[in-house]
Amino acid sequence: MNFTNMNQEKLTPKEYFRSLQIVHLALMAGIVSFIVIAIVLQNMGFESDGEDMIPALIYVVPVFMIGGILASNNVFKFRLKTCISQSGLKQKLEEYRSALIIKFALVEGPSFFAIIAYLLTANLVFVGITVLLLAVLLSYRPTPAKSIIDLELDYDERKILEETDAEIR
């Protein structure tokens, strides 16, 4: 189900979280695919002439990694305020979806940067950074329990999210 149809059809917690988890999984799959391709290229003899870039990238990539993680958490917390202030559960969840996608993207960017650094230098430290960022992204997996806490839902809203086939209004 795509997001545009969510507004027109009956939206259930099961469908909502399935679609969010698909987006999350797709972003992770993109990173994994890119790193696998980069490793295969390096093992096939890809000529990386970027050894002189290692001293700079060994500092820049971790700064981007830490910056991406911090930005993802700070922007997410800022966006959560907008989510919480919405009047209905459906509006809260629509804002929450946007906040999560931004949170995911702010970790995905440094992952791709680390992979490119690996392609340029063939230094395995950058593969390690990518794996670390994947672990962070995995910890961001959206679940009903996390959304209940993040959105500070009241009893009635919690009950709706806990019933997988309830209609979200």
Side-chain angles (χ1 to χ4, degrees):
M1 171 182 269
N2 66 32
F3 292 133
T4 56
N5 289 341
M6 289 178 131
N7 293 331
Q8 299 160 354
E9 296 178 7
K10 177 183 171 188
L11 176 64
T12 65
K14 182 179 179 180
E15 292 167 343
Y16 175 80
F17 286 102
R18 183 181 326 131
S19 67
L20 263 182
Q21 290 168 353
I22 288 170
V23 169
H24 180 258
L25 185 63
L27 293 173
M28 290 188 64
I31 295 168
V32 170
S33 299
F34 191 25
I35 195 65
V36 166
I37 291 168
I39 291 169
V40 168
L41 284 173
Q42 287 293 346
N43 288 333
M44 291 177 64
F46 178 77
E47 292 289 326
S48 54
D49 194 25
E51 283 187 29
D52 55 331
M53 299 174 83
I54 292 175
L57 289 174
I58 208 76
Y59 293 107
V60 173
V61 172
V63 167
F64 271 74
M65 176 189 73
I66 293 167
I69 293 169
L70 291 174
S72 74
N73 287 316
N74 289 332
V75 170
F76 181 68
K77 286 177 187 175
F78 179 76
R79 295 288 306 251
L80 267 182
K81 292 176 186 173
T82 304
C83 300
I84 293 168
S85 70
Q86 297 297 313
S87 59
L89 181 59
K90 190 170 188 176
Q91 291 78 17
K92 286 180 184 181
L93 291 175
E94 287 173 1
E95 289 292 328
Y96 187 66
R97 178 181 57 230
S98 299
L100 280 174
I101 291 170
I102 292 168
K103 182 178 184 177
F104 302 157
L106 288 170
V107 173
E108 186 185 35
S111 300
F112 286 132
F113 185 57
I115 297 167
I116 291 168
Y118 170 68
L119 274 172
L120 292 172
T121 65
N123 189 323
L124 289 173
V125 168
F126 302 120
V127 174
I129 289 172
T130 303
V131 170
L132 182 62
L133 286 164
L134 272 169
V136 169
L137 194 56
L138 182 62
S139 75
Y140 290 168
R141 184 175 182 266
T143 64
K146 284 182 186 177
S147 67
I148 289 170
I149 293 167
D150 288 342
L151 294 171
E152 301 172 6
L153 299 180
D154 63 30
Y155 178 77
D156 293 332
E157 293 170 330
R158 286 178 189 216
K159 214 163 161 58
I160 291 170
L161 282 191
E162 289 168 351
E163 292 181 34
T164 57
D165 293 328
E167 183 175 0
I168 299 173
R169 295 182 182 165

